[in-house]
Amino acid sequence: MVKAWLSKTKHRSACWQLPRGHWGQGAKVHCWLALLSWLLLPLPGGSPTPRQPRAPPRVRNTHTHPPTRARTHTQPTQREEQQQHRGEEALWRRRQQHSQRSHGRSSRHGTGLRRTMAAARHSTLDLTLAATGLQSIFQKQGMTETIHNWEDHGYLATYVNKNGSFANLRIYPHGLVLVDIQTYNDLNGGEDAGQLLNKVEERMKELFHRNIKRVKRLPAIVRGDTIDRYWPTADGRLVEYDIDEVVYDEESPYQNIKILHSKQFGNILILSGDVNLAESDLAYTQAIMGSGKEDYADKEVLILGGGDGGILYEIVKLKPKMVTMVEIDQMGIDGCRKFMRKTCGDVLDNLKGECYQVLIEDCIPVLKRYAKEERMFDYVINDLTAVPISTSPEEDSTWEFLRMILDLSMKVLKPDGKYFTQGNCVNLTEALTLYEEQLGRLSCPVEFSKEVVCVPSYMELWVFYTIWKKRSEV
Amino acid sequence: MVKAWLSKTKHRSACWQLPRGHWGQGAKVHCWLALLSWLLLPLPGGSPTPRQPRAPPRVRNTHTHPPTRARTHTQPTQREEQQQHRGEEALWRRRQQHSQRSHGRSSRHGTGLRRTMAAARHSTLDLTLAATGLQSIFQKQGMTETIHNWEDHGYLATYVNKNGSFANLRIYPHGLVLVDIQTYNDLNGGEDAGQLLNKVEERMKELFHRNIKRVKRLPAIVRGDTIDRYWPTADGRLVEYDIDEVVYDEESPYQNIKILHSKQFGNILILSGDVNLAESDLAYTQAIMGSGKEDYADKEVLILGGGDGGILYEIVKLKPKMVTMVEIDQMGIDGCRKFMRKTCGDVLDNLKGECYQVLIEDCIPVLKRYAKEERMFDYVINDLTAVPISTSPEEDSTWEFLRMILDLSMKVLKPDGKYFTQGNCVNLTEALTLYEEQLGRLSCPVEFSKEVVCVPSYMELWVFYTIWKKRSEV
C-alpha cells in the first residue's frame, strides 16, 4: 500500500471525519472563500513607474474621518450612496486629467525626483480610486467597513455582513488589488459570494478601463465541509479533487484509511492524507509490475504491502506459481475489499487462493524468516507506504528502514530476479537522488532503471524503479 | 489547436502578463495567502451538542472593553502577555471543570431546555477559548487587533502587522476555526506566514487537546506573481501547476497565447486561459489520431486547427499521401515552432513539406471550397479551440458553429473515412450529451464511439470522439 517516501515538502495533516450530526445537525455547513485579484497599470498617460523604496506611495482615504488606524463605517443611505457614486466618477475624470498633467510635467523637466514624486502621487490616486470605488458595493450589502492604512504597505478594508460573511479588500501600493470574500451558508454561500464578486469585477472594469493588466478569479475554496476535496500533491501543490462522497473513513492501528469517491477517478484510497490509488489507476499497478514486459507465468512473487489488492489481482490473472502478499493492516484490506473492487476484483475476498496467499503481518520479520529459510522469489514488489508503519525496532530512520527492506529483499531475490518499487513524484529530484544513493550502499551490488508514469489520480508524474542484482563480470 | 467547447462551468479570465519591470522594479513581489482550518468538538466530558437554531451560541469577548462592534488593540507589554497566557491556562482548567459539571447536570436532569442551554454555554466557552488563546500569538508579532462579534455568527478578528501582512481569525459557532494569513514580501513572505501558522497550530493543539476533529493546512495561494500557477480544470476545480517560467506570452488577433514551463510537463500551451497541450501530452495527440488503430500510410488527411503541430508531426512520420492543416493563427504556430519542439519537432519550420502543407486560414471557407471542389479526405481531425475564433458570419452560437464544422467535414469525408475530435472533460456530462445530440442532427447520418483518455497536463480525464458516416443497410 503505496506512495511517497520522504516527500519532505509535503504537508501531512491529521484529518478525521466528524461523527455524523455532531455539528450543524448534519446540515451541509461549510465556508466558501472566493478569491479575486487584479494587477493594475498606472492610469492612461502614466509612464511605467516602478515603486521607489524611499518614497513609498501612500494610500489616503477620501472620507473626512480622522485618520485613526482602524475605522468603522455603517451602511450609507441610498442618497449618500448616489452622491458617493457620482463623486467617484468625478474623481476618475480628475484623476485622468491629473495623471496626464503629471506625466507631461515629469517628461518635460525629467528630473529623477520629480519622476519619483509623480509616480508616488500617481499610485496614491490609483489606489484611492479603487478603494472608494469599491466601498459602495460592499456597503450596499449592509456591510460594516473597517479600514486600515499603512504608511508604506497600502490599504486594507474589512467588510462585515450581518449574515456572518465578510470580505477583505487589500490594495498593495504596486498595483495589486485583492478581494477575498468568506461566506458561510447552509445553502447558497457560494452563489452570494459569486454575485458579489461579479459586481466588484464590473466596477473595477468601469474604474480602471484599460489599466487592468491581469484579472484572475480562482474557484472558491471550501473548508469545513464533511467532504474534503483538497489533497495536495507530493511536491506540495494545491489541487482540488472532484470528490462527492466519503465512502470509508477509519482509524486503523497503523494509519488513517479513507476511501473517497471521485466522479472521474472512481474510489480513491487515501492513507494518512496521501492519495495512494484510485480505481482509475491501472497505470500504477502496471508500472510497478514492470510495464507489461515481464512474464509472471509459473513464477514465485512476493508483494510487500499492496493492501489495495491491485497488484495481487493483476498478477493472479497471469497464472503465477505462487504469490505471497504481506500486508500489515487488516483494516486497509477490509476497506479495499468492499470499496475498491475495480482495483482488486474478488482477490481479497479470501486471504488464500489457488496460487496466492495474503499474510496479515509486518513484512520485516517475514522477510527475515524467508531469508533464513533461503526461500527465493523471481519477483519482489515493494508497494509499502511512504512513511514506515512497521513496528520493528530497527527502523532508526526512514532511510535505514528503506535500506533494510532493500537488503532483505535482495536476500530473497533469485540471482536473475527483479525488484520493483514506486519512487516518488518526478519533481522531488533530491529525494530521488537520495534513494538512488541508498541503492549504491546495499550489501549486495545492484543496478537499476527507472520510468516516469502518469497515474491519473496523482495529478503529478511518478517515478518507478526496477532493481536487479549486478551480474558478476564473466 | 485544442480543448474545451462549452465548458459552461469553467471560468474564463482574461490574463495578461505585466511588461517586465513595470511594477516592483522586476522584483519578485507577490502575495501569499496561507490557509489553516480546524473543526472542533465540544470540550472533554461534553456530550455531542448539535447547534440549536433558536438559541444560537454567542461568542463573548473576555476582555473588559465595552462591546462595540469593532475594537482595536495594540501590542501588549511582555508582562501583560505572560499574564494573559497564565490567564488562558486557568481559563482552560476552569472550562474543563465547567464542561464536566454542565454535562453531568444535563444528564442528571435531562430536560431539553437545560440541554440546550448547556450546549449554548458550552460552545461559547469553546470559541472564547480559541479567540483569547490565539490573540497573544498575533499580538507578539506586533499585530493590531480588530474584533467583530456577531449575535449569531461567531467571531472575527483581524490582525494587522506593521510590515503589511495581516491575518483573519474566524470562528464559527458550530466549531469551525479558520486562520488565514496574507503576507506580501519580496523575499520570505511565505516563510513568515508558515512560521506564524506553526505557532497557531501548536497553540490550538494545547488549547483543545483531543477536541480537534480535523485540522487542515492548505498550500499557500500565491497571487500577483509574474508567474500564474493556477489554471483551473474544465470542470472548475482549483489546481496549481508547477510552473516556473513564462516562456512566451502574446496577444494574437484571435486569442491570448501563453507558453509556460512546467517542471514535470515541459512547456504548456495555454490559449486564452485554457490549458491546451503540454510537451508531456503525446497521449492527447495519439487519442485524436485514433489511438494507434489507424493506418495513415498513403492517406489524405485534413487537420482543422492543430497549430501546436503535434498531430501534423506524428502523422507525417506515418508516410501519409498528403496532410493539409488549416490553422487561423500564425502567432500560435510561431510560438509553438520555437517553444513546443518536443511536440511539433521541425514540422512547423516550413509551412510546406514533402507530404504536408499548412494553410494560415479560417477553416470554414477552406472547407466550403473543398466541398465545392469535391475534394475528399480519408481522415478529418478537428483540433479547433473550444470557443470558435473563426471570423465567419454564420456562427450564431457555439453549437451552430460546431454543427456547421461537422456538416462541412462530412461533405469532404470519404464514405469510409473517419472524423476524430476531442470532446470535453469526462465530468461535464451535460456538455457531452449536448454534443452527442448535435451528432444526431447532421445533414448526413453518422455513428460515433468515444474514449476516455488521461492527458497528463490536464489533471482531468478527457473524452475523445470518433465519428463516421452511417453505412446504408445492404
Side-chain angles (χ1 to χ4, degrees):
Chain A
M1 245 161 177
V2 194
K3 187 172 147 177
W5 36 264
L6 279 202
S7 319
K8 284 204 190 288
T9 62
K10 180 151 191 182
H11 174 76
R12 290 179 154 277
S13 57
C15 273
W16 301 269
Q17 196 55 37
L18 269 184
R20 198 176 283 267
H22 220 153
W23 291 111
Q25 300 179 286
K28 224 189 154 198
V29 279
H30 50 259
C31 148
W32 298 73
L33 179 64
L35 303 160
L36 186 50
S37 64
W38 297 264
L39 256 171
L40 301 178
L41 271 190
L43 290 175
S47 57
T49 50
R51 185 154 65 111
Q52 302 297 327
R54 294 286 162 196
R58 290 184 191 188
V59 179
R60 271 176 287 113
N61 200 282
T62 52
H63 286 258
T64 55
H65 295 267
T68 52
R69 297 282 284 175
R71 291 178 300 100
T72 301
H73 298 276
T74 48
Q75 192 180 11
T77 64
Q78 203 186 349
R79 190 167 161 188
E80 280 171 351
E81 210 282 329
Q82 283 169 352
Q83 282 174 342
Q84 190 181 340
H85 195 85
R86 276 201 296 275
E88 282 157 21
E89 284 167 10
L91 197 62
W92 161 249
R93 279 194 298 274
R94 276 204 304 281
R95 222 123 274 184
Q96 277 199 307
Q97 289 158 9
H98 173 85
S99 157
Q100 279 151 14
R101 274 204 304 277
S102 67
H103 173 60
R105 204 165 49 223
S106 65
S107 334
R108 256 201 310 279
H109 297 282
T111 70
L113 182 65
R114 270 187 203 272
R115 257 183 218 281
T116 305
M117 285 174 65
R121 203 181 305 123
H122 199 93
S123 284
T124 307
L125 293 169
D126 278 355
L127 306 188
T128 312
L129 181 66
T132 55
L134 298 177
Q135 268 172 0
S136 60
I137 293 174
F138 295 105
Q139 288 170 344
K140 252 191 191 165
Q141 310 287 318
M143 287 172 126
T144 306
E145 181 187 56
T146 308
I147 290 173
H148 186 91
N149 279 333
W150 282 268
E151 283 289 304
D152 303 350
H153 299 292
Y155 174 97
L156 167 69
T158 305
Y159 296 91
V160 172
N161 197 322
K162 282 175 200 150
N163 68 8
S165 69
F166 72 98
N168 286 317
L169 166 61
R170 179 75 175 93
I171 307 177
Y172 289 97
H174 71 292
L176 180 63
V177 178
L178 304 173
V179 173
D180 302 345
I181 303 179
Q182 202 182 102
T183 60
Y184 180 77
N185 210 314
D186 296 26
L187 295 167
N188 53 358
E191 260 179 52
D192 290 352
Q195 282 168 12
L196 193 52
L197 281 189
N198 288 346
K199 283 179 196 162
V200 171
E201 200 170 347
E202 227 169 84
R203 176 63 60 88
M204 279 293 285
K205 223 184 274 172
E206 282 165 31
L207 290 174
F208 289 98
H209 304 264
R210 292 195 203 112
N211 289 81
I212 298 172
K213 287 304 284 181
R214 202 200 297 168
V215 51
K216 187 87 178 189
R217 188 164 171 170
L218 296 178
I221 291 173
V222 179
R223 290 178 288 176
D225 200 358
T226 39
I227 295 170
D228 183 356
R229 293 163 61 102
Y230 306 94
W231 301 100
T233 58
D235 68 344
R237 286 175 294 112
L238 178 60
V239 288
E240 180 185 351
Y241 283 83
D242 57 344
I243 288 164
D244 55 6
E245 197 190 338
V246 178
V247 173
Y248 182 84
D249 194 353
E250 297 290 340
E251 290 293 329
S252 87
Y254 306 101
Q255 55 200 342
N256 173 267
I257 306 166
K258 278 192 214 317
I259 299 176
L260 307 180
H261 182 258
S262 148
K263 277 183 240 172
Q264 63 190 313
F265 300 131
N267 284 339
I268 307 182
L269 175 66
I270 298 179
L271 295 180
S272 297
D274 262 338
V275 171
N276 267 244
L277 197 80
E279 289 181 306
S280 60
D281 296 347
L282 185 60
Y284 176 96
T285 305
Q286 288 175 334
I288 206 167
M289 283 172 59
S291 298
K293 286 173 284 185
E294 304 302 321
D295 178 13
Y296 283 92
D298 292 317
K299 298 286 164 60
E300 287 271 4
V301 184
L302 178 64
I303 303 171
L304 309 177
D308 54 61
I311 300 168
L312 184 61
Y313 182 52
E314 296 303 324
I315 292 186
V316 161
K317 292 179 189 170
L318 304 173
K319 314 276 177 216
K321 187 174 170 197
M322 187 65 190
V323 188
T324 305
M325 177 174 130
V326 190
E327 164 63 51
I328 201 169
D329 198 344
Q330 176 74 57
M331 285 178 75
I333 288 183
D334 292 345
C336 293
R337 181 179 58 227
K338 281 186 209 145
F339 302 115
M340 298 284 291
R341 287 192 85 84
K342 268 188 205 150
T343 296
C344 65
D346 57 2
V347 86
L348 297 178
D349 291 356
N350 299 294
L351 294 184
K352 232 178 152 111
E354 222 170 278
C355 62
Y356 73 91
Q357 60 170 338
V358 178
L359 310 177
I360 309 295
E361 278 189 69
D362 184 344
C363 71
I364 302 276
V366 174
L367 277 169
K368 287 182 176 167
R369 199 163 68 227
Y370 287 167
K372 205 173 161 191
E373 292 168 2
E374 294 186 1
R375 190 166 161 195
M376 303 293 269
F377 296 88
D378 296 286
Y379 295 102
V380 177
I381 301 179
N382 177 347
D383 193 27
L384 298 169
T385 46
V387 176
I389 58 172
S390 155
T391 47
S392 297
E394 291 101 324
E395 46 184 89
D396 292 342
S397 76
T398 306
W399 289 123
E400 290 290 319
F401 176 81
L402 280 171
R403 214 163 59 222
M404 185 171 62
I405 295 270
L406 274 160
D407 264 332
L408 286 167
S409 298
M410 289 306 139
K411 279 186 187 157
V412 301
L413 192 66
K414 291 185 186 171
D416 58 349
K418 279 183 185 166
Y419 174 95
F420 296 116
T421 191
Q422 54 92 21
N424 211 324
C425 160
V426 74
N427 276 347
L428 293 180
T429 47
E430 208 179 321
L432 292 167
T433 306
L434 278 168
Y435 181 72
E436 290 163 24
E437 279 171 20
Q438 301 304 311
L439 297 180
R441 289 187 204 162
L442 299 185
S443 45
C444 152
V446 300
E447 293 178 309
F448 69 91
S449 66
K450 53 186 168 177
E451 191 189 7
V452 176
V453 174
C454 178
V455 180
S457 80
Y458 282 15
M459 306 212 198
E460 60 191 332
L461 300 178
W462 210 255
V463 176
F464 290 81
Y465 285 97
T466 304
I467 299 162
W468 60 92
K469 291 179 180 176
K470 206 169 174 174
R471 313 263 150 85
S472 45
E473 276 116 60
V474 187
Chain B
M1 247 163 177
V2 194
K3 183 174 150 178
W5 36 265
L6 279 200
S7 319
K8 284 202 192 291
T9 61
K10 180 152 191 180
H11 173 77
R12 291 181 155 273
S13 59
C15 273
W16 300 268
Q17 197 53 37
L18 269 183
R20 197 178 283 268
H22 220 150
W23 293 111
Q25 300 178 287
K28 225 187 154 201
V29 281
H30 51 260
C31 147
W32 296 74
L33 180 63
L35 303 160
L36 186 50
S37 64
W38 296 264
L39 257 170
L40 301 178
L41 273 188
L43 288 176
S47 58
T49 49
R51 185 155 65 112
Q52 302 296 328
R54 293 287 163 197
R58 288 182 193 188
V59 178
R60 269 176 288 112
N61 201 281
T62 53
H63 287 259
T64 54
H65 295 265
T68 51
R69 296 282 283 175
R71 289 178 302 99
T72 302
H73 298 277
T74 48
Q75 191 180 10
T77 63
Q78 203 187 348
R79 189 165 160 193
E80 280 171 353
E81 210 281 324
Q82 282 168 353
Q83 283 176 343
Q84 190 180 340
H85 194 86
R86 277 200 296 275
E88 281 156 21
E89 282 167 11
L91 197 64
W92 161 248
R93 280 194 299 274
R94 278 204 305 280
R95 220 124 277 181
Q96 276 199 307
Q97 289 158 8
H98 172 88
S99 159
Q100 278 151 14
R101 274 205 304 276
S102 67
H103 173 64
R105 206 164 49 222
S106 66
S107 334
R108 258 201 308 279
H109 297 284
T111 70
L113 181 64
R114 271 185 203 269
R115 255 183 220 280
T116 305
M117 283 173 67
R121 204 180 304 123
H122 200 92
S123 285
T124 306
L125 293 170
D126 277 356
L127 304 188
T128 311
L129 182 64
T132 55
L134 297 176
Q135 265 170 4
S136 60
I137 293 175
F138 295 106
Q139 287 169 345
K140 252 191 193 166
Q141 309 288 318
M143 288 172 122
T144 306
E145 181 187 54
T146 307
I147 291 173
H148 186 93
N149 279 332
W150 282 269
E151 282 291 304
D152 303 351
H153 299 292
Y155 173 96
L156 167 69
T158 304
Y159 295 92
V160 173
N161 197 323
K162 281 174 201 150
N163 68 9
S165 69
F166 72 98
N168 286 317
L169 165 62
R170 179 77 175 91
I171 307 177
Y172 290 95
H174 72 292
L176 180 63
V177 178
L178 304 173
V179 173
D180 301 346
I181 301 180
Q182 204 182 101
T183 59
Y184 179 78
N185 210 316
D186 297 27
L187 294 168
N188 53 357
E191 261 178 53
D192 290 352
Q195 282 169 12
L196 193 52
L197 282 188
N198 288 347
K199 285 179 195 163
V200 171
E201 200 169 348
E202 227 167 86
R203 177 63 60 89
M204 280 292 287
K205 224 184 273 173
E206 283 164 31
L207 290 173
F208 289 98
H209 303 265
R210 293 196 202 108
N211 290 79
I212 297 172
K213 288 305 283 181
R214 201 201 297 171
V215 50
K216 186 89 179 188
R217 186 164 171 170
L218 296 177
I221 291 172
V222 180
R223 291 178 289 177
D225 199 357
T226 38
I227 295 169
D228 184 355
R229 293 162 63 100
Y230 306 95
W231 300 100
T233 58
D235 68 344
R237 286 175 294 113
L238 179 60
V239 288
E240 180 185 351
Y241 283 82
D242 57 345
I243 288 165
D244 55 7
E245 196 191 339
V246 178
V247 173
Y248 182 85
D249 194 352
E250 298 289 339
E251 290 292 330
S252 86
Y254 306 102
Q255 57 201 340
N256 173 267
I257 306 166
K258 276 193 218 317
I259 299 176
L260 307 180
H261 182 259
S262 148
K263 278 183 241 173
Q264 63 188 313
F265 300 130
N267 285 338
I268 307 181
L269 175 67
I270 298 179
L271 296 178
S272 297
D274 262 338
V275 171
N276 267 244
L277 197 79
E279 289 182 305
S280 60
D281 296 347
L282 185 60
Y284 177 97
T285 305
Q286 287 175 334
I288 206 168
M289 282 171 59
S291 297
K293 285 174 284 186
E294 304 303 321
D295 178 12
Y296 283 93
D298 292 317
K299 296 287 163 59
E300 288 270 4
V301 184
L302 178 65
I303 303 172
L304 309 176
D308 54 62
I311 300 169
L312 184 60
Y313 183 52
E314 296 303 324
I315 291 185
V316 161
K317 291 178 189 171
L318 305 173
K319 314 278 176 211
K321 187 173 169 197
M322 187 66 193
V323 188
T324 305
M325 176 175 131
V326 190
E327 165 62 51
I328 202 169
D329 198 343
Q330 175 74 57
M331 284 177 74
I333 288 183
D334 291 344
C336 293
R337 181 179 57 224
K338 282 184 209 148
F339 303 114
M340 297 285 288
R341 288 193 83 85
K342 267 188 207 152
T343 297
C344 65
D346 57 2
V347 84
L348 297 178
D349 291 355
N350 298 294
L351 294 185
K352 231 178 155 110
E354 224 171 277
C355 62
Y356 73 91
Q357 60 170 336
V358 179
L359 310 177
I360 309 295
E361 278 188 69
D362 183 346
C363 72
I364 302 277
V366 174
L367 278 168
K368 285 184 176 165
R369 201 164 67 225
Y370 287 167
K372 205 173 161 194
E373 292 167 4
E374 294 186 1
R375 191 166 161 193
M376 303 293 269
F377 295 88
D378 297 286
Y379 295 103
V380 177
I381 301 180
N382 177 347
D383 193 26
L384 298 170
T385 47
V387 175
I389 57 172
S390 156
T391 49
S392 298
E394 291 101 324
E395 46 185 88
D396 291 343
S397 77
T398 306
W399 288 123
E400 291 290 321
F401 176 81
L402 280 172
R403 212 163 60 224
M404 186 172 60
I405 295 271
L406 274 161
D407 263 331
L408 285 168
S409 297
M410 289 307 140
K411 279 188 187 154
V412 301
L413 192 66
K414 291 183 184 172
D416 57 350
K418 278 184 186 167
Y419 174 96
F420 295 116
T421 192
Q422 55 90 22
N424 212 324
C425 161
V426 73
N427 276 346
L428 293 180
T429 46
E430 207 179 322
L432 292 167
T433 306
L434 279 168
Y435 181 72
E436 289 163 24
E437 280 172 20
Q438 301 304 312
L439 296 180
R441 289 186 206 162
L442 300 185
S443 45
C444 152
V446 300
E447 292 178 311
F448 69 91
S449 67
K450 54 186 166 177
E451 190 189 7
V452 177
V453 173
C454 177
V455 179
S457 81
Y458 282 15
M459 306 213 199
E460 60 191 332
L461 300 177
W462 209 255
V463 176
F464 290 82
Y465 285 98
T466 304
I467 299 162
W468 60 90
K469 290 178 179 175
K470 204 169 176 175
R471 314 264 151 84
S472 45
E473 276 115 62
V474 187

